[in-house]
Amino acid sequence: MGNGSATGSGRARVSDVAAAAGVSPTTVSHALSGARAVNAETRERILAVARELGYVPDRVASGLRRRRTGVVGLIGDDLAATPFAGRIIEGARRAGLERDVLLMVAESGGDADVERDLVARFLAQRVDGLLIARMYHQRVDRPAVPAEVPVVLVDAAPEPGWEVDAVVPDEAQIATLACERLTRAGHRDIAYIGTTDESRAARGRLIGIRSALGDEGIALGDDRLEFCSSDAAGGRDAAGRLLDGPMPPTAVICFNDQIAMGVMQAAARRGIRVPEGLSVVGIDDLHPVADALDPGLTTVALPHDEMGRWGMTRLLDRIDGTVAAPAESLHLLRGWLVERGSVAAPARV
């Protein structure tokens, strides 16, 4: 393989890549576009040659041939202030690059009028499809998008009557993991601190926790159930009500890691050691919180990167026409337990 461009114009062509890689120009086109399957080893060799020659696809010509732009738009509701937004975007971005598709990202700030304007702007740019993302699991209305433009929801569920592909966390499975970690350690007196937010995530986790504890013969009574704002301040207040009672629980499951941080702070103020005197489990795996706490917070990670990847992959499959099945209203992705140091066997049974 030589260095630099193979043409007098200074720009490498498909034929140059094909000659250097020892394959046909058609194989090069398939490998670079992802339009058809190419042997993995051959594809890697072609990509390496393309990089060495500095080959850059002519997106304008390609788009005219396929009536596509090779660009997908993602609209999020609160990207700047949400720690998990980067994981969703990165998952979608990498999945797009693997198929030579660029991702354009915009934020609505949770304003419906702004989102409508962004949808219109993306359509004016002739994007091949749209990802509508939320930073926590909730319902969304159908945007004003022509039927021929594919749409996939990420971390969001469609309002009733809208058949669209959507990917969300499996809230019941996530809640079950949190419960199983505590019951496996021997806990029977378990409390749950949920959020006052009216969201599908809030409802799904509470249902999952009631079910998982019920399967173990543990009732989640009103004296073991608190609701608060989804932050550390809310967690401190809710934990105070639980810990100041005549018989505090031996363990607490929290709606998210920020609430869990507040619970651990409330316990420390009362001289209760975590995990010796109180075990705490969060949900999210918010690294700046979970890793910084002492002890580190055992929590259930949400599949943000995986949701972004699944959403982009399904959208591109719809664009390419390789998915014949009807729209999948909800595709559930599982979470996983991240073990740190906030769970131990109960001091009392």
Side-chain angles (χ1 to χ4, degrees), residues 59 63 66-73 100-102 122-123 125-131 145 148-151 315-316 318-320:
R59 289 185 176 276
R66 299 185 299 154
R67 296 185 179 180
R68 296 179 191 163
T69 60
V71 178
V72 163
D100 196 29
V101 169
L102 295 178
F122 272 137
L123 294 177
Q125 295 296 318
R126 304 183 65 82
V127 296
D128 296 330
L130 284 172
L131 295 170
V145 176
E148 65 270 16
V149 178
V151 176
L315 183 65
L316 297 181
R318 290 288 181 194
I319 292 169
D320 291 341

mmCIF file of all heavy atoms in Angstrom, residues 59 63 66-73 100-102 122-123 125-131 145 148-151 315-316 318-320:
data_model
loop_
_atom_site.group_PDB
_atom_site.id
_atom_site.type_symbol
_atom_site.label_atom_id
_atom_site.label_comp_id
_atom_site.label_asym_id
_atom_site.label_seq_id
_atom_site.Cartn_x
_atom_site.Cartn_y
_atom_site.Cartn_z
ATOM 1 N N ARG A 59 -20.303 12.293 -0.237
ATOM 2 C CA ARG A 59 -21.643 12.131 0.338
ATOM 3 C C ARG A 59 -22.731 12.739 -0.549
ATOM 4 O O ARG A 59 -23.855 12.259 -0.571
ATOM 5 C CB ARG A 59 -21.702 12.763 1.726
ATOM 6 C CG ARG A 59 -20.932 11.990 2.768
ATOM 7 C CD ARG A 59 -21.128 12.603 4.134
ATOM 8 N NE ARG A 59 -20.467 11.800 5.143
ATOM 9 C CZ ARG A 59 -20.998 10.734 5.705
ATOM 10 N NH1 ARG A 59 -22.207 10.354 5.355
ATOM 11 N NH2 ARG A 59 -20.343 10.045 6.616
ATOM 12 N N GLY A 63 -25.589 10.476 -1.807
ATOM 13 C CA GLY A 63 -26.944 10.807 -1.367
ATOM 14 C C GLY A 63 -27.899 10.957 -2.531
ATOM 15 O O GLY A 63 -29.059 10.566 -2.460
ATOM 16 N N ARG A 66 -28.828 7.448 -3.719
ATOM 17 C CA ARG A 66 -29.699 6.699 -2.812
ATOM 18 C C ARG A 66 -30.869 7.522 -2.291
ATOM 19 O O ARG A 66 -31.697 7.021 -1.549
ATOM 20 C CB ARG A 66 -28.875 6.193 -1.617
ATOM 21 C CG ARG A 66 -27.758 5.257 -1.984
ATOM 22 C CD ARG A 66 -27.091 4.733 -0.731
ATOM 23 N NE ARG A 66 -26.514 5.819 0.059
ATOM 24 C CZ ARG A 66 -26.309 5.766 1.378
ATOM 25 N NH1 ARG A 66 -26.688 4.703 2.045
ATOM 26 N NH2 ARG A 66 -25.763 6.779 2.010
ATOM 27 N N ARG A 67 -30.922 8.813 -2.688
ATOM 28 C CA ARG A 67 -31.924 9.743 -2.173
ATOM 29 C C ARG A 67 -31.836 9.840 -0.647
ATOM 30 O O ARG A 67 -32.838 9.898 0.043
ATOM 31 C CB ARG A 67 -33.339 9.330 -2.609
ATOM 32 C CG ARG A 67 -33.538 9.392 -4.112
ATOM 33 C CD ARG A 67 -34.964 9.094 -4.508
ATOM 34 N NE ARG A 67 -35.143 9.173 -5.944
ATOM 35 C CZ ARG A 67 -36.298 8.951 -6.571
ATOM 36 N NH1 ARG A 67 -37.368 8.620 -5.863
ATOM 37 N NH2 ARG A 67 -36.376 9.047 -7.878
ATOM 38 N N ARG A 68 -30.600 9.834 -0.159
ATOM 39 C CA ARG A 68 -30.360 9.963 1.264
ATOM 40 C C ARG A 68 -29.219 10.940 1.499
ATOM 41 O O ARG A 68 -28.399 11.185 0.624
ATOM 42 C CB ARG A 68 -29.990 8.607 1.879
ATOM 43 C CG ARG A 68 -31.109 7.592 1.801
ATOM 44 C CD ARG A 68 -30.669 6.282 2.409
ATOM 45 N NE ARG A 68 -31.620 5.231 2.112
ATOM 46 C CZ ARG A 68 -31.365 3.938 2.233
ATOM 47 N NH1 ARG A 68 -30.180 3.558 2.666
ATOM 48 N NH2 ARG A 68 -32.269 3.043 1.944
ATOM 49 N N THR A 69 -29.172 11.456 2.727
ATOM 50 C CA THR A 69 -28.117 12.395 3.088
ATOM 51 C C THR A 69 -27.049 11.758 3.959
ATOM 52 O O THR A 69 -25.980 12.337 4.150
ATOM 53 C CB THR A 69 -28.716 13.587 3.858
ATOM 54 O OG1 THR A 69 -29.344 13.099 5.046
ATOM 55 C CG2 THR A 69 -29.735 14.324 3.006
ATOM 56 N N GLY A 70 -27.321 10.577 4.529
ATOM 57 C CA GLY A 70 -26.378 9.958 5.440
ATOM 58 C C GLY A 70 -26.301 10.669 6.771
ATOM 59 O O GLY A 70 -25.302 10.562 7.482
ATOM 60 N N VAL A 71 -27.360 11.395 7.121
ATOM 61 C CA VAL A 71 -27.407 12.151 8.375
ATOM 62 C C VAL A 71 -28.687 11.810 9.120
ATOM 63 O O VAL A 71 -29.771 11.739 8.521
ATOM 64 C CB VAL A 71 -27.338 13.674 8.125
ATOM 65 C CG1 VAL A 71 -27.430 14.442 9.442
ATOM 66 C CG2 VAL A 71 -26.060 14.037 7.389
ATOM 67 N N VAL A 72 -28.562 11.597 10.419
ATOM 68 C CA VAL A 72 -29.702 11.326 11.295
ATOM 69 C C VAL A 72 -29.733 12.389 12.381
ATOM 70 O O VAL A 72 -28.677 12.811 12.883
ATOM 71 C CB VAL A 72 -29.592 9.914 11.917
ATOM 72 C CG1 VAL A 72 -30.511 9.752 13.123
ATOM 73 C CG2 VAL A 72 -29.908 8.859 10.869
ATOM 74 N N GLY A 73 -30.919 12.838 12.744
ATOM 75 C CA GLY A 73 -31.058 13.830 13.796
ATOM 76 C C GLY A 73 -31.479 13.209 15.113
ATOM 77 O O GLY A 73 -32.267 12.256 15.131
ATOM 78 N N ASP A 100 -21.510 4.453 8.457
ATOM 79 C CA ASP A 100 -21.193 5.656 7.686
ATOM 80 C C ASP A 100 -22.328 6.681 7.731
ATOM 81 O O ASP A 100 -22.662 7.305 6.731
ATOM 82 C CB ASP A 100 -20.886 5.278 6.227
ATOM 83 C CG ASP A 100 -20.167 6.410 5.490
ATOM 84 O OD1 ASP A 100 -19.449 7.171 6.157
ATOM 85 O OD2 ASP A 100 -20.362 6.541 4.268
ATOM 86 N N VAL A 101 -22.897 6.850 8.899
ATOM 87 C CA VAL A 101 -23.979 7.823 9.099
ATOM 88 C C VAL A 101 -23.559 8.815 10.174
ATOM 89 O O VAL A 101 -23.011 8.433 11.211
ATOM 90 C CB VAL A 101 -25.289 7.113 9.515
ATOM 91 C CG1 VAL A 101 -26.343 8.119 9.974
ATOM 92 C CG2 VAL A 101 -25.826 6.301 8.345
ATOM 93 N N LEU A 102 -23.786 10.089 9.922
ATOM 94 C CA LEU A 102 -23.472 11.139 10.882
ATOM 95 C C LEU A 102 -24.686 11.440 11.756
ATOM 96 O O LEU A 102 -25.832 11.345 11.313
ATOM 97 C CB LEU A 102 -23.037 12.413 10.163
ATOM 98 C CG LEU A 102 -21.738 12.333 9.355
ATOM 99 C CD1 LEU A 102 -21.473 13.661 8.673
ATOM 100 C CD2 LEU A 102 -20.570 11.945 10.233
ATOM 101 N N PHE A 122 -34.779 19.928 11.291
ATOM 102 C CA PHE A 122 -34.107 18.704 10.854
ATOM 103 C C PHE A 122 -34.695 18.210 9.532
ATOM 104 O O PHE A 122 -33.967 17.765 8.646
ATOM 105 C CB PHE A 122 -34.226 17.621 11.919
ATOM 106 C CG PHE A 122 -33.136 17.651 12.958
ATOM 107 C CD1 PHE A 122 -33.431 17.485 14.295
ATOM 108 C CD2 PHE A 122 -31.818 17.833 12.592
ATOM 109 C CE1 PHE A 122 -32.435 17.507 15.254
ATOM 110 C CE2 PHE A 122 -30.805 17.858 13.529
ATOM 111 C CZ PHE A 122 -31.111 17.696 14.872
ATOM 112 N N LEU A 123 -36.008 18.260 9.419
ATOM 113 C CA LEU A 123 -36.634 17.813 8.176
ATOM 114 C C LEU A 123 -36.213 18.695 7.007
ATOM 115 O O LEU A 123 -36.034 18.212 5.881
ATOM 116 C CB LEU A 123 -38.159 17.816 8.324
ATOM 117 C CG LEU A 123 -38.731 16.805 9.326
ATOM 118 C CD1 LEU A 123 -40.245 16.953 9.426
ATOM 119 C CD2 LEU A 123 -38.372 15.379 8.927
ATOM 120 N N GLN A 125 -33.386 19.976 6.668
ATOM 121 C CA GLN A 125 -32.033 19.531 6.327
ATOM 122 C C GLN A 125 -32.033 18.153 5.665
ATOM 123 O O GLN A 125 -30.971 17.609 5.367
ATOM 124 C CB GLN A 125 -31.162 19.488 7.584
ATOM 125 C CG GLN A 125 -30.914 20.838 8.222
ATOM 126 C CD GLN A 125 -30.134 21.777 7.323
ATOM 127 O OE1 GLN A 125 -29.181 21.363 6.668
ATOM 128 N NE2 GLN A 125 -30.542 23.035 7.280
ATOM 129 N N ARG A 126 -33.226 17.605 5.485
ATOM 130 C CA ARG A 126 -33.418 16.327 4.802
ATOM 131 C C ARG A 126 -32.695 15.182 5.507
ATOM 132 O O ARG A 126 -32.046 14.336 4.857
ATOM 133 C CB ARG A 126 -32.999 16.411 3.337
ATOM 134 C CG ARG A 126 -33.694 17.510 2.550
ATOM 135 C CD ARG A 126 -33.310 17.497 1.096
ATOM 136 N NE ARG A 126 -33.764 16.289 0.434
ATOM 137 C CZ ARG A 126 -34.996 16.099 -0.033
ATOM 138 N NH1 ARG A 126 -35.911 17.043 0.103
ATOM 139 N NH2 ARG A 126 -35.321 14.979 -0.629
ATOM 140 N N VAL A 127 -32.785 15.144 6.833
ATOM 141 C CA VAL A 127 -32.213 14.003 7.556
ATOM 142 C C VAL A 127 -32.937 12.734 7.136
ATOM 143 O O VAL A 127 -34.111 12.770 6.745
ATOM 144 C CB VAL A 127 -32.308 14.198 9.091
ATOM 145 C CG1 VAL A 127 -31.480 15.371 9.546
ATOM 146 C CG2 VAL A 127 -33.763 14.354 9.534
ATOM 147 N N ASP A 128 -32.244 11.607 7.234
ATOM 148 C CA ASP A 128 -32.834 10.329 6.822
ATOM 149 C C ASP A 128 -33.803 9.776 7.858
ATOM 150 O O ASP A 128 -34.627 8.913 7.531
ATOM 151 C CB ASP A 128 -31.727 9.299 6.566
ATOM 152 C CG ASP A 128 -30.834 9.704 5.407
ATOM 153 O OD1 ASP A 128 -31.321 10.389 4.490
ATOM 154 O OD2 ASP A 128 -29.644 9.338 5.430
ATOM 155 N N GLY A 129 -33.683 10.231 9.092
ATOM 156 C CA GLY A 129 -34.567 9.743 10.154
ATOM 157 C C GLY A 129 -34.314 10.531 11.421
ATOM 158 O O GLY A 129 -33.379 11.339 11.507
ATOM 159 N N LEU A 130 -35.157 10.293 12.440
ATOM 160 C CA LEU A 130 -35.077 11.034 13.687
ATOM 161 C C LEU A 130 -35.076 10.106 14.893
ATOM 162 O O LEU A 130 -35.842 9.140 14.951
ATOM 163 C CB LEU A 130 -36.265 11.995 13.829
ATOM 164 C CG LEU A 130 -36.249 13.277 12.996
ATOM 165 C CD1 LEU A 130 -37.589 13.987 13.128
ATOM 166 C CD2 LEU A 130 -35.107 14.190 13.418
ATOM 167 N N LEU A 131 -34.215 10.431 15.856
ATOM 168 C CA LEU A 131 -34.253 9.820 17.179
ATOM 169 C C LEU A 131 -34.809 10.864 18.141
ATOM 170 O O LEU A 131 -34.274 11.974 18.227
ATOM 171 C CB LEU A 131 -32.862 9.398 17.635
ATOM 172 C CG LEU A 131 -32.170 8.288 16.843
ATOM 173 C CD1 LEU A 131 -30.714 8.169 17.282
ATOM 174 C CD2 LEU A 131 -32.885 6.969 17.032
ATOM 175 N N VAL A 145 -44.184 14.598 11.778
ATOM 176 C CA VAL A 145 -43.181 14.048 10.864
ATOM 177 C C VAL A 145 -43.897 13.286 9.760
ATOM 178 O O VAL A 145 -44.801 12.484 10.039
ATOM 179 C CB VAL A 145 -42.219 13.096 11.616
ATOM 180 C CG1 VAL A 145 -41.241 12.444 10.663
ATOM 181 C CG2 VAL A 145 -41.469 13.853 12.704
ATOM 182 N N GLU A 148 -43.108 8.943 5.742
ATOM 183 C CA GLU A 148 -41.946 8.297 5.106
ATOM 184 C C GLU A 148 -40.645 8.540 5.864
ATOM 185 O O GLU A 148 -39.606 7.949 5.518
ATOM 186 C CB GLU A 148 -41.794 8.781 3.664
ATOM 187 C CG GLU A 148 -41.464 10.253 3.501
ATOM 188 C CD GLU A 148 -42.694 11.135 3.398
ATOM 189 O OE1 GLU A 148 -43.788 10.660 3.758
ATOM 190 O OE2 GLU A 148 -42.548 12.291 2.953
ATOM 191 N N VAL A 149 -40.660 9.384 6.880
ATOM 192 C CA VAL A 149 -39.449 9.644 7.671
ATOM 193 C C VAL A 149 -39.471 8.753 8.910
ATOM 194 O O VAL A 149 -40.316 8.926 9.789
ATOM 195 C CB VAL A 149 -39.359 11.120 8.096
ATOM 196 C CG1 VAL A 149 -38.113 11.348 8.967
ATOM 197 C CG2 VAL A 149 -39.330 12.032 6.873
ATOM 198 N N PRO A 150 -38.558 7.796 9.015
ATOM 199 C CA PRO A 150 -38.554 6.897 10.175
ATOM 200 C C PRO A 150 -38.227 7.641 11.472
ATOM 201 O O PRO A 150 -37.416 8.577 11.477
ATOM 202 C CB PRO A 150 -37.457 5.878 9.837
ATOM 203 C CG PRO A 150 -37.264 5.990 8.354
ATOM 204 C CD PRO A 150 -37.538 7.419 8.029
ATOM 205 N N VAL A 151 -38.872 7.213 12.560
ATOM 206 C CA VAL A 151 -38.645 7.784 13.886
ATOM 207 C C VAL A 151 -38.480 6.640 14.878
ATOM 208 O O VAL A 151 -39.203 5.637 14.806
ATOM 209 C CB VAL A 151 -39.821 8.684 14.322
ATOM 210 C CG1 VAL A 151 -39.611 9.183 15.753
ATOM 211 C CG2 VAL A 151 -39.988 9.853 13.374
ATOM 212 N N LEU A 315 -33.236 2.452 13.773
ATOM 213 C CA LEU A 315 -33.584 3.524 12.841
ATOM 214 C C LEU A 315 -32.937 3.287 11.486
ATOM 215 O O LEU A 315 -33.590 3.415 10.440
ATOM 216 C CB LEU A 315 -33.151 4.873 13.415
ATOM 217 C CG LEU A 315 -33.506 6.108 12.578
ATOM 218 C CD1 LEU A 315 -35.019 6.273 12.494
ATOM 219 C CD2 LEU A 315 -32.867 7.359 13.157
ATOM 220 N N LEU A 316 -31.650 2.926 11.475
ATOM 221 C CA LEU A 316 -30.955 2.690 10.205
ATOM 222 C C LEU A 316 -31.508 1.468 9.492
ATOM 223 O O LEU A 316 -31.572 1.439 8.251
ATOM 224 C CB LEU A 316 -29.453 2.548 10.446
ATOM 225 C CG LEU A 316 -28.757 3.795 11.015
ATOM 226 C CD1 LEU A 316 -27.268 3.536 11.179
ATOM 227 C CD2 LEU A 316 -29.003 4.997 10.130
ATOM 228 N N ARG A 318 -34.615 0.562 9.612
ATOM 229 C CA ARG A 318 -35.864 1.057 9.013
ATOM 230 C C ARG A 318 -35.557 1.864 7.756
ATOM 231 O O ARG A 318 -36.252 1.741 6.733
ATOM 232 C CB ARG A 318 -36.620 1.931 10.018
ATOM 233 C CG ARG A 318 -37.217 1.186 11.194
ATOM 234 C CD ARG A 318 -38.409 0.354 10.780
ATOM 235 N NE ARG A 318 -38.988 -0.349 11.931
ATOM 236 C CZ ARG A 318 -39.856 -1.335 11.817
ATOM 237 N NH1 ARG A 318 -40.249 -1.750 10.616
ATOM 238 N NH2 ARG A 318 -40.349 -1.936 12.898
ATOM 239 N N ILE A 319 -34.532 2.707 7.823
ATOM 240 C CA ILE A 319 -34.158 3.521 6.664
ATOM 241 C C ILE A 319 -33.740 2.635 5.500
ATOM 242 O O ILE A 319 -34.106 2.883 4.344
ATOM 243 C CB ILE A 319 -33.022 4.495 7.050
ATOM 244 C CG1 ILE A 319 -33.538 5.544 8.036
ATOM 245 C CG2 ILE A 319 -32.439 5.165 5.807
ATOM 246 C CD1 ILE A 319 -32.443 6.370 8.679
ATOM 247 N N ASP A 320 -32.964 1.583 5.804
ATOM 248 C CA ASP A 320 -32.482 0.675 4.755
ATOM 249 C C ASP A 320 -33.544 -0.314 4.289
ATOM 250 O O ASP A 320 -33.336 -1.038 3.314
ATOM 251 C CB ASP A 320 -31.268 -0.109 5.263
ATOM 252 C CG ASP A 320 -30.046 0.773 5.444
ATOM 253 O OD1 ASP A 320 -30.022 1.871 4.856
ATOM 254 O OD2 ASP A 320 -29.124 0.381 6.189
#
